[in-house]
Amino acid sequence: MSYRFPAICLLFAITLPLEAHAQEGDPAAGATVFKKCGICHVAETDQNKVGPSLNGLFGRTAGTHPNFAYSQAMQDAGKAGLVWSETSLRDYLHDPKAKVKGTKMAFAGLKDDTDITNLIAYLKQYSK
């Protein structure tokens, strides 16, 4: 019975760092998720494709990347104060058309929160 307490403490000591890492996301797993986005977007460089570059995304006002023809809805969202943060991007990735009504992005969204967390971790590498 005296060995249970140290064993429980050891278990918490091992699992808490793993739990914290899971919340931060896995950039390598996010790279796999990004393959769905990579058809239209690029993150590694600052070049637009069918969609705007996602390089340096965090902190950017929506609808403002240079030399990209955004929908009026995305431009209006930016003018109304939409700035890409983890929270706003998470909402957008769940359902782009609900977050920005009238967006021309055809992607239906990601339903898995872990995929979104990992994708955000991947994109953060290119926003420093």
Side-chain angles (χ1 to χ4, degrees):
M1 190 148 120
S2 63
Y3 292 105
R4 284 187 181 166
F5 184 72
I8 291 171
C9 290
L10 180 61
L11 178 64
F12 279 116
I14 292 170
T15 58
L16 285 177
L18 295 176
E19 186 176 315
H21 179 70
Q23 292 173 350
E24 292 174 6
D26 178 359
T32 301
V33 177
F34 187 76
K35 290 179 182 178
K36 296 175 185 179
C37 313
I39 296 166
C40 298
H41 297 279
V42 64
E44 299 85 3
T45 64
D46 197 22
Q47 294 179 327
N48 297 322
K49 289 175 69 175
V50 172
S53 171
L54 301 179
N55 188 275
L57 177 67
F58 293 97
R60 182 191 308 162
T61 300
T64 62
H65 191 274
N67 302 316
F68 186 78
Y70 286 96
S71 65
Q72 190 62 51
M74 188 62 74
Q75 291 175 43
D76 291 346
K79 290 174 186 170
L82 178 59
V83 175
W84 296 118
S85 65
E86 288 184 47
T87 302
S88 62
L89 184 60
R90 181 175 297 282
D91 290 346
Y92 185 73
L93 290 172
H94 268 293
D95 190 350
K97 294 192 183 304
K99 180 73 175 175
V100 179
K101 292 178 182 15
T103 183
K104 64 182 180 180
M105 187 165 96
F107 186 64
L110 295 170
K111 304 308 174 206
D112 186 306
D113 286 327
T114 302
D115 283 349
I116 293 173
T117 298
N118 292 336
L119 179 58
I120 287 171
Y122 173 76
L123 292 172
K124 281 175 125 181
Q125 299 176 107
Y126 303 105
S127 286
K128 296 177 181 177

